[in-house]
């Protein structure tokens, strides 16, 4: 069988890549893609712990379902915001959206 | 090394390589396509964890809805994609250092914990039915479930409102 720490280390690597994407990319849509990678890493962790610790209880799966719902809501609102920002600034580069900067 | 371990390692390589391409490729359409590869390989991991319901949900929600929505927005904000030089901000070395630190710290944490090498027991055949019952059970997760429903409704209305085009302005 696959040891549990293989899943956790893979999820950690996926999380680190998502973190890099969020911090380093300029395009706001790419930043949202990084957030998606991080949420997926979290979901791998939740389901791996569910399978290896308590597969007879639905707790781990319930957490994963909530993460799915939150991810869908976050993407819908985020992308709508980017479309609105694009209409106003003609750009989705995160360093050019500086209306609140003085 | 068993067959499942080989499948896991192959899937992990695909997932990590495509995730690396998602965060580094300059072309946003390619990034969205690599994101689809990453999300599909995560679905394979869910199958390996015998969470087949979540594998299907991953394909339907992430690949079918979220990645395609990403693609729409990449197309709608097209002028930004390729003709603006480097896609990484000048802070990217710091971001790389932070990401490596996060990975190293998490790996150290995982290695220092005593974790089971194989799963306990079997997944019951009724696990999806149990999940559905727990989500609407007042003693279970009905409040988080309802809050998630309200959150999705608010996101729906908010997204429509924010992206609405006002004709006179």
């Amino acid at each position: 069988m696959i040891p549990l720490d293989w899943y956790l280390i893979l999820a950690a690597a996926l999380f680190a890549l998502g973190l890099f994407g969020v911090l380093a990319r300029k395009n706001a849509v790419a930043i949202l893609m990084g957030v998606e990678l991080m949420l997926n890493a979290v979901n791998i962790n939740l389901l791996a712990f569910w399978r290896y610790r308590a597969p007879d209880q639905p707790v781990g799966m319930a957490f994963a379902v909530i993460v799915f719902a939150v991810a869908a809501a976050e993407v819908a609102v985020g992308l709508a915001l980017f479309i609105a920002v694009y209409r106003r600034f003609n750009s989705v580069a995160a360093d050019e959206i500086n209306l609140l900067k003085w | 090394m068993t067959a499942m371990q080989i499948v896991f390692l192959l899937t992990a390589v695909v997932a990590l390589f495509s995730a690396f391409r998602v965060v580094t490729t300059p072309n946003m359409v390619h990034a969205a396509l690599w994101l689809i590869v990453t999300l599909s390989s995560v679905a394979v991991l869910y199958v390996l964890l015998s969470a087949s319901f979540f594998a299907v949900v991953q394909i339907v929600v992430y690949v079918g809805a979220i990645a395609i929505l990403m693609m729409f927005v990449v197309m709608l904000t097209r002028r930004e994609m390729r003709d603006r030089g480097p896609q990484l901000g000048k802070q990217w070395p710091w971001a790389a250092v932070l990401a490596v630190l996060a990975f190293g710290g998490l790996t150290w944490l995982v290695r220092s914990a005593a974790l089971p090498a194989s799963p306990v027991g079997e997944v019951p055949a009724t696990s999806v039915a149990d999940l559905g019952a727990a989500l609407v059970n007042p003693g279970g997760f009905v409040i988080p479930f309802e809050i998630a429903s309200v959150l999705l409704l608010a996101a729906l209305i908010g997204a429509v409102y924010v992206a609405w085009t006002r004709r006179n302005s």
Side-chain angles (χ1 to χ4, degrees):
Chain A
M1 285 304 286
I2 305 160
L4 175 56
D5 43 357
W6 290 20
Y7 283 106
L8 300 188
I9 289 173
L10 170 65
L14 213 56
F15 187 88
L17 281 168
L19 185 66
F20 175 76
V22 169
L23 293 177
R25 295 284 284 208
K26 270 187 190 167
N27 193 318
V29 184
I31 291 175
L32 211 59
M33 288 183 189
V35 175
E36 288 310 307
L37 289 181
M38 290 160 83
L39 284 169
N40 262 281
V42 171
N43 248 350
I44 293 175
N45 268 4
L46 288 173
L47 284 174
F49 274 112
W50 163 76
R51 178 71 188 93
Y52 282 73
R53 288 289 191 191
D56 50 340
Q57 288 167 8
V59 182
M61 290 196 290
F63 270 97
V65 167
I66 303 295
V67 172
F68 269 112
V70 172
E74 168 250 328
V75 164
V77 175
L79 293 180
L81 278 174
F82 295 154
I83 288 179
V85 163
Y86 181 74
R87 279 210 199 100
R88 189 170 161 82
F89 290 91
N90 231 355
S91 159
V92 286
D95 49 355
E96 289 173 20
I97 307 167
N98 53 6
L99 200 63
L100 283 177
K101 199 171 163 187
W102 53 282
Chain B
M1 183 164 292
T2 62
M4 272 181 85
Q5 287 178 336
I6 293 171
V7 172
F8 176 88
L9 289 178
L10 286 177
T11 314
V13 168
V14 171
L16 290 182
F17 177 73
S18 52
F20 181 76
R21 294 300 293 158
V22 169
V23 295
T24 54
T25 181
N27 188 329
M28 285 305 298
V29 173
H30 291 180
L33 291 174
W34 282 113
L35 185 71
I36 292 178
V37 177
T38 313
L39 298 173
S40 309
S41 45
V42 172
V44 175
L45 291 179
Y46 292 165
V47 173
L48 286 177
L49 284 167
S50 40
S52 44
F53 171 68
F54 283 92
V56 175
V57 172
Q58 173 87 7
I59 296 290
V60 171
V61 173
Y62 269 105
V63 180
I66 292 180
I68 300 304
L69 201 59
M70 291 273 188
M71 189 69 93
F72 273 13
V73 175
V74 168
M75 297 283 180
L76 285 174
T77 59
R78 190 164 178 99
R79 255 171 290 172
E80 199 52 39
M81 274 164 42
R82 216 184 323 200
D83 44 349
R84 302 294 299 267
Q87 290 287 319
L88 295 177
K90 55 182 179 296
Q91 76 280 14
W92 77 266
W94 293 107
V97 167
L98 257 178
V100 169
L101 275 181
F103 176 64
L106 286 171
T107 309
W108 174 78
L109 207 64
V110 167
R111 300 303 296 188
S112 61
L115 292 168
S118 60
V120 285
E122 287 294 312
V123 177
T126 59
S127 68
V128 178
D130 291 345
L131 172 66
L135 281 178
V136 291
N137 180 6
F141 299 97
V142 72
I143 292 175
F145 180 70
E146 292 298 337
I147 291 175
S149 320
V150 174
L151 176 73
L152 279 173
L153 179 66
L156 184 74
I157 297 172
V160 170
Y161 177 75
V162 167
W164 195 266
T165 319
R166 287 168 192 78
R167 273 169 206 274
N168 337 336
S169 65

